[in-house]
Structure formats: C-alpha cells, structure tokens
Amino acid sequence: MTTTESTAAPRSWLDELSGARATSPDYCVLSGHTAPAEPEDGFLIRLAEFRQVAAYHALRRKNFVVEQGLFAGSDTDDIDDDPRTRILVAIAPDGAVLGGVRLAPATAEDLGWWTGSRLVVDCGRRTRGVGGALVRAACAYAETHNVLRFEATVQTRYELLFTHLGWVALAETNVAGAPHVRMRWPIDRIERLARSTKAMLGQTLSELGDTPMTLGGNGFRGDDGAPVPGSDLVAACDAILPSMVERDPEWAGWCAALVNLNDLAAMGAEPIGLLDAVAAPTRSLLTRVLRGLGAASRIWEVPVLGGHTQLGVPAALSVTALGRTDRPVPGGGGEVGDELRLTADLGGGWRPGYTGRQWDSSSHRSGAELRALGRFVSDTGPKAAKDVSMAGVAGTAGMLAEASGVGVELDVARIPRPPGVELADWITCFPGFAMLTADRPGTPVNPVGPATTAVCGVLSATPGVRLRWPDGEVTHALDSAVTGLGHS
C-alpha cells in the first residue's frame, strides 16, 4: 500500500467528480498499486444505492481485513448501523464501484459534528484520482448539509494527501495497532456570513467622522440603537432588502417593524413610535408593504407617527423606531468570565421561501406575548445585550464580545433551538426574536413570555468566536473582530 505524491496544483472537487483527467500523476488512496492508471472513461461520485453499498462493504473487507489485517473478521462497526450514515461511491461507466467513503454524525443528537471514515479504493482496477475525488466530494457533501465540524482519522502515510487537499492535522493517534493522524477539514460558514454582513462596517462608517455622539457615542458605538443626546430617547433604524420588498411585501412591512422593535428591546427601551420611508413601483406593491407594517403597528401597539412615501420608483423600505428609557443597556458592557445567555422564541417555523435563513416566531403571537418578549432586557437589566441580527447567533455573539473588548466561547450543546432545526442553520439565520445577554455568573433570569432561555457560553480573554463541543474540543468560528468598530 503506497501513495505517489503529485506535483500538480490542487484541483477542485468538481474537476474530480467530472472525471477530468489530470496532467500529472495524482495520489492513489488506499490502493495497493504503485502506479495505477486513470479510469479510461472517467467516473461519477454519488450517494450509494443498495447494491452499491454491498460492493463498497466488500471493498472495505478486502482492503482492511484481508490485505492490511487492521481488523479480524470484519471492519463493520456502529456507524454502519446508524441510519444517518451516508456513503459516497465512485461509479465507473460499466456500473462497477471503484471506491467509497462514509460520513456520519459523531453525536447521538446531530449538532453538526460529522466524521468521514472507511475511505477505500479498488486496487484491482484503473483508479488513479478516485481517492482524492472521494475526499473532496465528502467535504463538499458535509458543507452543503449543515456540518460545522468535519474530521477524519487517517493512516499516517496518507497525512500528506489530506494536507495537500486542504485538511489540517490535529494529533497523532493509534487505531488497530497502526499509526494514524486526526485531521480536520476547515469549514468557514460562520466567518463567511460575518464577512458578508458586518465586516465592512468599521472601515466604511469611519467616513462619518468623529463628531461627539457619532454612531451612538461612548459606550454605544455601533449599538442596536442610539441614545438621543439630552433626552431619555433611543432611536433605531433598519432597512429591508429591496428584493424582499418585491417578493414578499407584507412580510417585508412586518419585518421592518420587528427588527426595529427588537433593536429597542435590546437596549431596554419601551417603544413609543415608528417612522417609515417606503417606495414602490406600483400602488399594489405599496399597499401590501403598508398592510404588513400596519399589522405590526397594531399588534405591538406602536403607532406609525409619520414618514415618507413615494410611488413609481424601485422598491425600498426603511423604518426608524423611537423608544424611551433612562437606563439604556449597551451591547459592549460584558467582561471576561461573564456568562452569555440566549433568550429566544423557538415557536413558529421557517418563513416560506426563506428556509434556513429566516425563522418566523412572531406572526402567530398575540400582542401581549410580543410585548412581554420586548420587555425582557428592561426587566432583567443585564450588563450587555444585543438582539440577534443578520449575522446570526454566532456572529452577533462576536459583535457583543467585540464591543466589550473580549472574545466569546459558545457551547454548541447548550444553545436553545427549535426541535428538528439543524444547529448550523439556527446559529446563522435571522431567528425572529432572540436576545444575547451577558452578565455575572449565576445571575438569575425569570422566564419571559413564550421564550426559552439558557446560558450557552462565556466571555473570554481570547478575541473572536469559538465553538465548544461535547468532547471538550474547541474549534474556530471567527478569528477576531466582526465589525471592526472596536471596543465601545
């Protein structure tokens, strides 16, 4: 069993799936042939069907039991019996299975931590490139199926291959008497979301200058809302994506009120009114937007005080909310050692057309329930609070930590989430009503309306956002600052 190192530049997994031919020799993973040839007519990687699973298991037994002697009698284990396990196989044009690999969750409750294992290639056929393609396909499958942590334990002699494909070595270990290496495929889903939604803020907003109270002033720089100088007023402003206004105008109007009222709630302010600026190409679209905004105004009992309306132009919608409090809660009041708590309304479901991106917890609630949720921060008075926004739970936790001049570690198993919703979706979506608060350890919190609340993290001295897993492992989610606005 040998491998041959390639000197060619790494190819994408799409190249491998297409069976495109390399210009120089590639690795042959788990193949006994020293110089295997490429399959003559390419190959296709797909989820295995029943007969292909049997062929894959036969290849495994031949390789791991008979030829390598890593296992006695059989190499099957509990992962093979797990109904959640997925097997990817490489299929030749004649239907033969050239190789395969299995993927499965690592925990009883799927938290987005998966492993890849039992990678095998048929060493009796022309199979060069198949092993690398299976690894790349497994990585792609994991990333497109809400996996946040993807690892494999590979024989030491194949470490170079996995490193060549982008994997990171973690630690040496021993499996069945043979030296192995634990390796991880880096998944940057949370970081990509933060970059696309918040990373440009610090540099871009610097153009506003340093006039006193700009961006909310000392202690509220870049916060959910801004204290109005010389008063007990708090102002918040949010715009809705034009594409959302055009596609789902009533929901856009409702959300324009929701996100602004959440901003006031995060600062402990009682809402007193809304101002809207709305534009639409047709009267019908304009009416539907205002219908949604009006429904929100009535159920929250917060009047639309005025604004601006324009017809015959591209769709646009923004709302400003005004609230009142003499003790605004900052987003940057946390300290190292403070507990991070998520308080969220887990009821409802995905908004049609926005599965995995927008959770609708509010449209079915009564006004009394919504107003009770809005009083959570003012009733509890935490040291710091932020409502979960477009950056999701993970990104918003990073924003609270950044504003506090610290970092944050999230315990993935303790994050409250709706039943049946995958963790990766939940911590990267807009969750309707969800508040992150930081306070001293052990600070009691009373239940609030229909929300669920739980401590799910801690503020730390290490900048950025990290995820703690049930095995005690801590993985990277965000390196450091989310917005670049800095400590407020």
Side-chain angles (χ1 to χ4, degrees), residues 408-444:
V408 64
E409 185 176 289
L410 294 171
D411 188 333
V412 297
R414 299 176 68 185
I415 297 174
R417 59 189 169 110
V421 172
E422 296 187 18
L423 180 73
D425 280 341
W426 182 245
I427 65 174
T428 56
C429 77
F430 172 69
F433 177 89
M435 292 286 166
L436 284 167
T437 56
D439 219 329
R440 294 175 299 277
T443 301

PDB file of all heavy atoms in Angstrom, residues 408-444:
ATOM      1  N   VAL A 408     -15.504  35.319  22.842  1.00  0.00           N
ATOM      2  CA  VAL A 408     -16.620  34.520  23.338  1.00  0.00           C
ATOM      3  C   VAL A 408     -16.455  33.066  22.928  1.00  0.00           C
ATOM      4  O   VAL A 408     -15.948  32.766  21.847  1.00  0.00           O
ATOM      5  CB  VAL A 408     -17.974  35.070  22.828  1.00  0.00           C
ATOM      6  CG1 VAL A 408     -18.068  34.972  21.303  1.00  0.00           C
ATOM      7  CG2 VAL A 408     -19.153  34.343  23.479  1.00  0.00           C
ATOM      8  N   GLU A 409     -16.858  32.175  23.821  1.00  0.00           N
ATOM      9  CA  GLU A 409     -16.873  30.746  23.546  1.00  0.00           C
ATOM     10  C   GLU A 409     -18.299  30.240  23.710  1.00  0.00           C
ATOM     11  O   GLU A 409     -18.894  30.376  24.773  1.00  0.00           O
ATOM     12  CB  GLU A 409     -15.946  30.016  24.520  1.00  0.00           C
ATOM     13  CG  GLU A 409     -15.792  28.537  24.247  1.00  0.00           C
ATOM     14  CD  GLU A 409     -14.792  27.888  25.190  1.00  0.00           C
ATOM     15  OE1 GLU A 409     -13.583  28.156  25.034  1.00  0.00           O
ATOM     16  OE2 GLU A 409     -15.238  27.142  26.101  1.00  0.00           O
ATOM     17  N   LEU A 410     -18.855  29.674  22.631  1.00  0.00           N
ATOM     18  CA  LEU A 410     -20.219  29.152  22.631  1.00  0.00           C
ATOM     19  C   LEU A 410     -20.201  27.648  22.843  1.00  0.00           C
ATOM     20  O   LEU A 410     -19.448  26.931  22.171  1.00  0.00           O
ATOM     21  CB  LEU A 410     -20.926  29.469  21.315  1.00  0.00           C
ATOM     22  CG  LEU A 410     -21.199  30.938  21.008  1.00  0.00           C
ATOM     23  CD1 LEU A 410     -21.699  31.097  19.574  1.00  0.00           C
ATOM     24  CD2 LEU A 410     -22.215  31.516  21.985  1.00  0.00           C
ATOM     25  N   ASP A 411     -21.022  27.159  23.757  1.00  0.00           N
ATOM     26  CA  ASP A 411     -21.187  25.725  23.991  1.00  0.00           C
ATOM     27  C   ASP A 411     -22.315  25.241  23.096  1.00  0.00           C
ATOM     28  O   ASP A 411     -23.494  25.496  23.369  1.00  0.00           O
ATOM     29  CB  ASP A 411     -21.508  25.476  25.457  1.00  0.00           C
ATOM     30  CG  ASP A 411     -21.516  23.998  25.825  1.00  0.00           C
ATOM     31  OD1 ASP A 411     -21.783  23.170  24.928  1.00  0.00           O
ATOM     32  OD2 ASP A 411     -21.278  23.666  26.995  1.00  0.00           O
ATOM     33  N   VAL A 412     -21.973  24.547  22.000  1.00  0.00           N
ATOM     34  CA  VAL A 412     -22.973  24.239  20.977  1.00  0.00           C
ATOM     35  C   VAL A 412     -24.108  23.375  21.517  1.00  0.00           C
ATOM     36  O   VAL A 412     -25.256  23.483  21.059  1.00  0.00           O
ATOM     37  CB  VAL A 412     -22.314  23.565  19.754  1.00  0.00           C
ATOM     38  CG1 VAL A 412     -21.333  24.496  19.083  1.00  0.00           C
ATOM     39  CG2 VAL A 412     -21.634  22.263  20.129  1.00  0.00           C
ATOM     40  N   ALA A 413     -23.830  22.513  22.483  1.00  0.00           N
ATOM     41  CA  ALA A 413     -24.868  21.617  23.004  1.00  0.00           C
ATOM     42  C   ALA A 413     -25.865  22.347  23.894  1.00  0.00           C
ATOM     43  O   ALA A 413     -26.934  21.806  24.190  1.00  0.00           O
ATOM     44  CB  ALA A 413     -24.226  20.471  23.781  1.00  0.00           C
ATOM     45  N   ARG A 414     -25.552  23.570  24.325  1.00  0.00           N
ATOM     46  CA  ARG A 414     -26.419  24.295  25.248  1.00  0.00           C
ATOM     47  C   ARG A 414     -27.181  25.439  24.576  1.00  0.00           C
ATOM     48  O   ARG A 414     -27.916  26.161  25.235  1.00  0.00           O
ATOM     49  CB  ARG A 414     -25.586  24.841  26.417  1.00  0.00           C
ATOM     50  CG  ARG A 414     -24.896  23.750  27.223  1.00  0.00           C
ATOM     51  CD  ARG A 414     -24.006  24.331  28.304  1.00  0.00           C
ATOM     52  NE  ARG A 414     -24.770  24.995  29.347  1.00  0.00           N
ATOM     53  CZ  ARG A 414     -24.224  25.678  30.357  1.00  0.00           C
ATOM     54  NH1 ARG A 414     -22.894  25.790  30.421  1.00  0.00           N
ATOM     55  NH2 ARG A 414     -24.973  26.241  31.271  1.00  0.00           N
ATOM     56  N   ILE A 415     -27.004  25.598  23.284  1.00  0.00           N
ATOM     57  CA  ILE A 415     -27.708  26.670  22.569  1.00  0.00           C
ATOM     58  C   ILE A 415     -29.159  26.255  22.343  1.00  0.00           C
ATOM     59  O   ILE A 415     -29.425  25.259  21.663  1.00  0.00           O
ATOM     60  CB  ILE A 415     -27.033  26.968  21.219  1.00  0.00           C
ATOM     61  CG1 ILE A 415     -25.604  27.479  21.437  1.00  0.00           C
ATOM     62  CG2 ILE A 415     -27.846  27.979  20.424  1.00  0.00           C
ATOM     63  CD1 ILE A 415     -24.822  27.660  20.155  1.00  0.00           C
ATOM     64  N   PRO A 416     -30.133  26.981  22.899  1.00  0.00           N
ATOM     65  CA  PRO A 416     -31.539  26.624  22.660  1.00  0.00           C
ATOM     66  C   PRO A 416     -31.880  26.755  21.171  1.00  0.00           C
ATOM     67  O   PRO A 416     -31.513  27.739  20.529  1.00  0.00           O
ATOM     68  CB  PRO A 416     -32.318  27.661  23.491  1.00  0.00           C
ATOM     69  CG  PRO A 416     -31.336  28.254  24.436  1.00  0.00           C
ATOM     70  CD  PRO A 416     -30.001  28.173  23.760  1.00  0.00           C
ATOM     71  N   ARG A 417     -32.585  25.763  20.635  1.00  0.00           N
ATOM     72  CA  ARG A 417     -33.006  25.821  19.235  1.00  0.00           C
ATOM     73  C   ARG A 417     -34.303  25.046  19.062  1.00  0.00           C
ATOM     74  O   ARG A 417     -34.626  24.155  19.850  1.00  0.00           O
ATOM     75  CB  ARG A 417     -31.925  25.287  18.299  1.00  0.00           C
ATOM     76  CG  ARG A 417     -31.515  23.848  18.548  1.00  0.00           C
ATOM     77  CD  ARG A 417     -30.296  23.484  17.714  1.00  0.00           C
ATOM     78  NE  ARG A 417     -29.712  22.211  18.118  1.00  0.00           N
ATOM     79  CZ  ARG A 417     -29.750  21.097  17.409  1.00  0.00           C
ATOM     80  NH1 ARG A 417     -30.375  21.096  16.243  1.00  0.00           N
ATOM     81  NH2 ARG A 417     -29.186  19.999  17.850  1.00  0.00           N
ATOM     82  N   PRO A 418     -35.065  25.353  18.020  1.00  0.00           N
ATOM     83  CA  PRO A 418     -36.336  24.663  17.806  1.00  0.00           C
ATOM     84  C   PRO A 418     -36.119  23.193  17.493  1.00  0.00           C
ATOM     85  O   PRO A 418     -35.111  22.821  16.880  1.00  0.00           O
ATOM     86  CB  PRO A 418     -36.941  25.399  16.602  1.00  0.00           C
ATOM     87  CG  PRO A 418     -36.227  26.707  16.545  1.00  0.00           C
ATOM     88  CD  PRO A 418     -34.847  26.440  17.052  1.00  0.00           C
ATOM     89  N   PRO A 419     -37.039  22.323  17.882  1.00  0.00           N
ATOM     90  CA  PRO A 419     -36.926  20.898  17.559  1.00  0.00           C
ATOM     91  C   PRO A 419     -36.856  20.692  16.050  1.00  0.00           C
ATOM     92  O   PRO A 419     -37.590  21.312  15.280  1.00  0.00           O
ATOM     93  CB  PRO A 419     -38.212  20.296  18.134  1.00  0.00           C
ATOM     94  CG  PRO A 419     -38.659  21.270  19.177  1.00  0.00           C
ATOM     95  CD  PRO A 419     -38.248  22.621  18.692  1.00  0.00           C
ATOM     96  N   GLY A 420     -35.940  19.826  15.622  1.00  0.00           N
ATOM     97  CA  GLY A 420     -35.835  19.491  14.208  1.00  0.00           C
ATOM     98  C   GLY A 420     -35.054  20.476  13.367  1.00  0.00           C
ATOM     99  O   GLY A 420     -34.858  20.239  12.173  1.00  0.00           O
ATOM    100  N   VAL A 421     -34.611  21.574  13.958  1.00  0.00           N
ATOM    101  CA  VAL A 421     -33.842  22.570  13.207  1.00  0.00           C
ATOM    102  C   VAL A 421     -32.355  22.313  13.424  1.00  0.00           C
ATOM    103  O   VAL A 421     -31.898  22.169  14.558  1.00  0.00           O
ATOM    104  CB  VAL A 421     -34.209  24.004  13.653  1.00  0.00           C
ATOM    105  CG1 VAL A 421     -33.274  25.026  13.020  1.00  0.00           C
ATOM    106  CG2 VAL A 421     -35.654  24.309  13.273  1.00  0.00           C
ATOM    107  N   GLU A 422     -31.596  22.249  12.340  1.00  0.00           N
ATOM    108  CA  GLU A 422     -30.183  21.950  12.446  1.00  0.00           C
ATOM    109  C   GLU A 422     -29.420  23.137  13.023  1.00  0.00           C
ATOM    110  O   GLU A 422     -29.708  24.305  12.724  1.00  0.00           O
ATOM    111  CB  GLU A 422     -29.628  21.561  11.074  1.00  0.00           C
ATOM    112  CG  GLU A 422     -30.270  20.274  10.546  1.00  0.00           C
ATOM    113  CD  GLU A 422     -29.613  19.791   9.272  1.00  0.00           C
ATOM    114  OE1 GLU A 422     -28.469  20.219   8.978  1.00  0.00           O
ATOM    115  OE2 GLU A 422     -30.237  18.990   8.569  1.00  0.00           O
ATOM    116  N   LEU A 423     -28.432  22.813  13.862  1.00  0.00           N
ATOM    117  CA  LEU A 423     -27.696  23.846  14.578  1.00  0.00           C
ATOM    118  C   LEU A 423     -27.058  24.855  13.630  1.00  0.00           C
ATOM    119  O   LEU A 423     -27.099  26.066  13.877  1.00  0.00           O
ATOM    120  CB  LEU A 423     -26.615  23.211  15.455  1.00  0.00           C
ATOM    121  CG  LEU A 423     -25.771  24.196  16.260  1.00  0.00           C
ATOM    122  CD1 LEU A 423     -26.563  24.769  17.413  1.00  0.00           C
ATOM    123  CD2 LEU A 423     -24.501  23.540  16.771  1.00  0.00           C
ATOM    124  N   ALA A 424     -26.459  24.385  12.545  1.00  0.00           N
ATOM    125  CA  ALA A 424     -25.781  25.292  11.625  1.00  0.00           C
ATOM    126  C   ALA A 424     -26.737  26.328  11.055  1.00  0.00           C
ATOM    127  O   ALA A 424     -26.380  27.505  10.910  1.00  0.00           O
ATOM    128  CB  ALA A 424     -25.123  24.506  10.497  1.00  0.00           C
ATOM    129  N   ASP A 425     -27.956  25.911  10.716  1.00  0.00           N
ATOM    130  CA  ASP A 425     -28.958  26.863  10.237  1.00  0.00           C
ATOM    131  C   ASP A 425     -29.357  27.835  11.352  1.00  0.00           C
ATOM    132  O   ASP A 425     -29.467  29.045  11.135  1.00  0.00           O
ATOM    133  CB  ASP A 425     -30.206  26.136   9.738  1.00  0.00           C
ATOM    134  CG  ASP A 425     -30.049  25.584   8.333  1.00  0.00           C
ATOM    135  OD1 ASP A 425     -29.146  26.048   7.609  1.00  0.00           O
ATOM    136  OD2 ASP A 425     -30.816  24.683   7.958  1.00  0.00           O
ATOM    137  N   TRP A 426     -29.561  27.291  12.549  1.00  0.00           N
ATOM    138  CA  TRP A 426     -30.095  28.113  13.638  1.00  0.00           C
ATOM    139  C   TRP A 426     -29.122  29.220  14.049  1.00  0.00           C
ATOM    140  O   TRP A 426     -29.536  30.350  14.324  1.00  0.00           O
ATOM    141  CB  TRP A 426     -30.457  27.243  14.831  1.00  0.00           C
ATOM    142  CG  TRP A 426     -31.046  28.009  15.976  1.00  0.00           C
ATOM    143  CD1 TRP A 426     -30.526  28.176  17.219  1.00  0.00           C
ATOM    144  CD2 TRP A 426     -32.296  28.716  15.976  1.00  0.00           C
ATOM    145  NE1 TRP A 426     -31.362  28.948  17.992  1.00  0.00           N
ATOM    146  CE2 TRP A 426     -32.450  29.291  17.266  1.00  0.00           C
ATOM    147  CE3 TRP A 426     -33.290  28.927  15.021  1.00  0.00           C
ATOM    148  CZ2 TRP A 426     -33.566  30.061  17.602  1.00  0.00           C
ATOM    149  CZ3 TRP A 426     -34.401  29.693  15.368  1.00  0.00           C
ATOM    150  CH2 TRP A 426     -34.529  30.257  16.636  1.00  0.00           C
ATOM    151  N   ILE A 427     -27.833  28.919  14.094  1.00  0.00           N
ATOM    152  CA  ILE A 427     -26.892  29.934  14.579  1.00  0.00           C
ATOM    153  C   ILE A 427     -26.397  30.854  13.469  1.00  0.00           C
ATOM    154  O   ILE A 427     -25.571  31.740  13.715  1.00  0.00           O
ATOM    155  CB  ILE A 427     -25.692  29.315  15.315  1.00  0.00           C
ATOM    156  CG1 ILE A 427     -24.814  28.479  14.394  1.00  0.00           C
ATOM    157  CG2 ILE A 427     -26.160  28.496  16.503  1.00  0.00           C
ATOM    158  CD1 ILE A 427     -23.538  27.983  15.061  1.00  0.00           C
ATOM    159  N   THR A 428     -26.922  30.669  12.245  1.00  0.00           N
ATOM    160  CA  THR A 428     -26.558  31.585  11.161  1.00  0.00           C
ATOM    161  C   THR A 428     -27.772  32.251  10.517  1.00  0.00           C
ATOM    162  O   THR A 428     -27.616  32.985   9.538  1.00  0.00           O
ATOM    163  CB  THR A 428     -25.755  30.850  10.067  1.00  0.00           C
ATOM    164  OG1 THR A 428     -26.514  29.733   9.581  1.00  0.00           O
ATOM    165  CG2 THR A 428     -24.418  30.367  10.601  1.00  0.00           C
ATOM    166  N   CYS A 429     -28.976  32.025  11.055  1.00  0.00           N
ATOM    167  CA  CYS A 429     -30.179  32.608  10.476  1.00  0.00           C
ATOM    168  C   CYS A 429     -30.623  33.847  11.253  1.00  0.00           C
ATOM    169  O   CYS A 429     -30.104  34.156  12.330  1.00  0.00           O
ATOM    170  CB  CYS A 429     -31.321  31.583  10.465  1.00  0.00           C
ATOM    171  SG  CYS A 429     -32.112  31.333  12.088  1.00  0.00           S
ATOM    172  N   PHE A 430     -31.623  34.559  10.716  1.00  0.00           N
ATOM    173  CA  PHE A 430     -32.339  35.577  11.485  1.00  0.00           C
ATOM    174  C   PHE A 430     -33.455  34.856  12.230  1.00  0.00           C
ATOM    175  O   PHE A 430     -34.358  34.296  11.615  1.00  0.00           O
ATOM    176  CB  PHE A 430     -32.917  36.653  10.572  1.00  0.00           C
ATOM    177  CG  PHE A 430     -33.824  37.610  11.307  1.00  0.00           C
ATOM    178  CD1 PHE A 430     -33.311  38.495  12.241  1.00  0.00           C
ATOM    179  CD2 PHE A 430     -35.194  37.597  11.086  1.00  0.00           C
ATOM    180  CE1 PHE A 430     -34.140  39.358  12.945  1.00  0.00           C
ATOM    181  CE2 PHE A 430     -36.033  38.454  11.782  1.00  0.00           C
ATOM    182  CZ  PHE A 430     -35.510  39.338  12.714  1.00  0.00           C
ATOM    183  N   PRO A 431     -33.417  34.826  13.575  1.00  0.00           N
ATOM    184  CA  PRO A 431     -34.313  33.934  14.320  1.00  0.00           C
ATOM    185  C   PRO A 431     -35.607  34.556  14.826  1.00  0.00           C
ATOM    186  O   PRO A 431     -36.243  33.999  15.719  1.00  0.00           O
ATOM    187  CB  PRO A 431     -33.423  33.528  15.508  1.00  0.00           C
ATOM    188  CG  PRO A 431     -32.597  34.747  15.762  1.00  0.00           C
ATOM    189  CD  PRO A 431     -32.375  35.400  14.428  1.00  0.00           C
ATOM    190  N   GLY A 432     -36.025  35.694  14.266  1.00  0.00           N
ATOM    191  CA  GLY A 432     -37.259  36.324  14.746  1.00  0.00           C
ATOM    192  C   GLY A 432     -36.986  37.122  16.004  1.00  0.00           C
ATOM    193  O   GLY A 432     -36.462  38.239  15.938  1.00  0.00           O
ATOM    194  N   PHE A 433     -37.313  36.561  17.162  1.00  0.00           N
ATOM    195  CA  PHE A 433     -36.946  37.207  18.426  1.00  0.00           C
ATOM    196  C   PHE A 433     -35.900  36.355  19.116  1.00  0.00           C
ATOM    197  O   PHE A 433     -36.163  35.206  19.496  1.00  0.00           O
ATOM    198  CB  PHE A 433     -38.156  37.370  19.355  1.00  0.00           C
ATOM    199  CG  PHE A 433     -37.762  37.965  20.688  1.00  0.00           C
ATOM    200  CD1 PHE A 433     -37.743  39.338  20.865  1.00  0.00           C
ATOM    201  CD2 PHE A 433     -37.379  37.160  21.749  1.00  0.00           C
ATOM    202  CE1 PHE A 433     -37.352  39.899  22.083  1.00  0.00           C
ATOM    203  CE2 PHE A 433     -36.980  37.693  22.969  1.00  0.00           C
ATOM    204  CZ  PHE A 433     -36.976  39.079  23.128  1.00  0.00           C
ATOM    205  N   ALA A 434     -34.698  36.914  19.300  1.00  0.00           N
ATOM    206  CA  ALA A 434     -33.631  36.238  20.038  1.00  0.00           C
ATOM    207  C   ALA A 434     -32.706  37.305  20.599  1.00  0.00           C
ATOM    208  O   ALA A 434     -32.242  38.176  19.858  1.00  0.00           O
ATOM    209  CB  ALA A 434     -32.869  35.266  19.155  1.00  0.00           C
ATOM    210  N   MET A 435     -32.449  37.227  21.896  1.00  0.00           N
ATOM    211  CA  MET A 435     -31.571  38.180  22.571  1.00  0.00           C
ATOM    212  C   MET A 435     -30.382  37.464  23.178  1.00  0.00           C
ATOM    213  O   MET A 435     -30.534  36.420  23.838  1.00  0.00           O
ATOM    214  CB  MET A 435     -32.320  38.903  23.698  1.00  0.00           C
ATOM    215  CG  MET A 435     -33.407  39.834  23.231  1.00  0.00           C
ATOM    216  SD  MET A 435     -32.725  41.343  22.533  1.00  0.00           S
ATOM    217  CE  MET A 435     -34.209  41.988  21.723  1.00  0.00           C
ATOM    218  N   LEU A 436     -29.197  38.016  22.964  1.00  0.00           N
ATOM    219  CA  LEU A 436     -27.996  37.566  23.647  1.00  0.00           C
ATOM    220  C   LEU A 436     -27.682  38.565  24.752  1.00  0.00           C
ATOM    221  O   LEU A 436     -27.610  39.771  24.500  1.00  0.00           O
ATOM    222  CB  LEU A 436     -26.818  37.476  22.676  1.00  0.00           C
ATOM    223  CG  LEU A 436     -26.814  36.275  21.738  1.00  0.00           C
ATOM    224  CD1 LEU A 436     -25.783  36.470  20.629  1.00  0.00           C
ATOM    225  CD2 LEU A 436     -26.548  34.986  22.497  1.00  0.00           C
ATOM    226  N   THR A 437     -27.524  38.063  25.960  1.00  0.00           N
ATOM    227  CA  THR A 437     -27.219  38.933  27.095  1.00  0.00           C
ATOM    228  C   THR A 437     -26.016  38.386  27.843  1.00  0.00           C
ATOM    229  O   THR A 437     -25.792  37.176  27.899  1.00  0.00           O
ATOM    230  CB  THR A 437     -28.417  39.044  28.056  1.00  0.00           C
ATOM    231  OG1 THR A 437     -28.813  37.723  28.476  1.00  0.00           O
ATOM    232  CG2 THR A 437     -29.587  39.727  27.388  1.00  0.00           C
ATOM    233  N   ALA A 438     -25.236  39.285  28.415  1.00  0.00           N
ATOM    234  CA  ALA A 438     -24.067  38.908  29.209  1.00  0.00           C
ATOM    235  C   ALA A 438     -24.225  39.459  30.613  1.00  0.00           C
ATOM    236  O   ALA A 438     -24.631  40.611  30.799  1.00  0.00           O
ATOM    237  CB  ALA A 438     -22.798  39.446  28.568  1.00  0.00           C
ATOM    238  N   ASP A 439     -23.892  38.629  31.597  1.00  0.00           N
ATOM    239  CA  ASP A 439     -23.999  39.059  32.993  1.00  0.00           C
ATOM    240  C   ASP A 439     -23.104  38.187  33.858  1.00  0.00           C
ATOM    241  O   ASP A 439     -22.528  37.201  33.398  1.00  0.00           O
ATOM    242  CB  ASP A 439     -25.452  38.984  33.471  1.00  0.00           C
ATOM    243  CG  ASP A 439     -25.815  40.164  34.361  1.00  0.00           C
ATOM    244  OD1 ASP A 439     -24.913  40.673  35.074  1.00  0.00           O
ATOM    245  OD2 ASP A 439     -26.986  40.571  34.369  1.00  0.00           O
ATOM    246  N   ARG A 440     -23.024  38.544  35.140  1.00  0.00           N
ATOM    247  CA  ARG A 440     -22.200  37.794  36.081  1.00  0.00           C
ATOM    248  C   ARG A 440     -22.696  36.352  36.183  1.00  0.00           C
ATOM    249  O   ARG A 440     -23.903  36.098  36.108  1.00  0.00           O
ATOM    250  CB  ARG A 440     -22.242  38.453  37.460  1.00  0.00           C
ATOM    251  CG  ARG A 440     -21.607  39.841  37.503  1.00  0.00           C
ATOM    252  CD  ARG A 440     -21.786  40.476  38.870  1.00  0.00           C
ATOM    253  NE  ARG A 440     -23.192  40.650  39.199  1.00  0.00           N
ATOM    254  CZ  ARG A 440     -23.939  41.667  38.793  1.00  0.00           C
ATOM    255  NH1 ARG A 440     -23.392  42.613  38.034  1.00  0.00           N
ATOM    256  NH2 ARG A 440     -25.199  41.757  39.127  1.00  0.00           N
ATOM    257  N   PRO A 441     -21.793  35.400  36.390  1.00  0.00           N
ATOM    258  CA  PRO A 441     -22.208  34.003  36.528  1.00  0.00           C
ATOM    259  C   PRO A 441     -23.215  33.826  37.652  1.00  0.00           C
ATOM    260  O   PRO A 441     -23.074  34.416  38.730  1.00  0.00           O
ATOM    261  CB  PRO A 441     -20.895  33.277  36.849  1.00  0.00           C
ATOM    262  CG  PRO A 441     -19.831  34.137  36.260  1.00  0.00           C
ATOM    263  CD  PRO A 441     -20.315  35.548  36.431  1.00  0.00           C
ATOM    264  N   GLY A 442     -24.235  33.041  37.367  1.00  0.00           N
ATOM    265  CA  GLY A 442     -25.243  32.745  38.379  1.00  0.00           C
ATOM    266  C   GLY A 442     -26.340  33.765  38.524  1.00  0.00           C
ATOM    267  O   GLY A 442     -27.237  33.591  39.351  1.00  0.00           O
ATOM    268  N   THR A 443     -26.315  34.836  37.723  1.00  0.00           N
ATOM    269  CA  THR A 443     -27.382  35.836  37.804  1.00  0.00           C
ATOM    270  C   THR A 443     -28.710  35.202  37.411  1.00  0.00           C
ATOM    271  O   THR A 443     -28.835  34.653  36.318  1.00  0.00           O
ATOM    272  CB  THR A 443     -27.089  37.025  36.878  1.00  0.00           C
ATOM    273  OG1 THR A 443     -25.848  37.612  37.249  1.00  0.00           O
ATOM    274  CG2 THR A 443     -28.197  38.065  36.971  1.00  0.00           C
ATOM    275  N   PRO A 444     -29.717  35.254  38.285  1.00  0.00           N
ATOM    276  CA  PRO A 444     -30.996  34.608  37.957  1.00  0.00           C
ATOM    277  C   PRO A 444     -31.748  35.361  36.871  1.00  0.00           C
ATOM    278  O   PRO A 444     -31.670  36.582  36.772  1.00  0.00           O
ATOM    279  CB  PRO A 444     -31.761  34.656  39.288  1.00  0.00           C
ATOM    280  CG  PRO A 444     -31.179  35.820  40.019  1.00  0.00           C
ATOM    281  CD  PRO A 444     -29.729  35.882  39.622  1.00  0.00           C
TER     282      PRO A 444
END
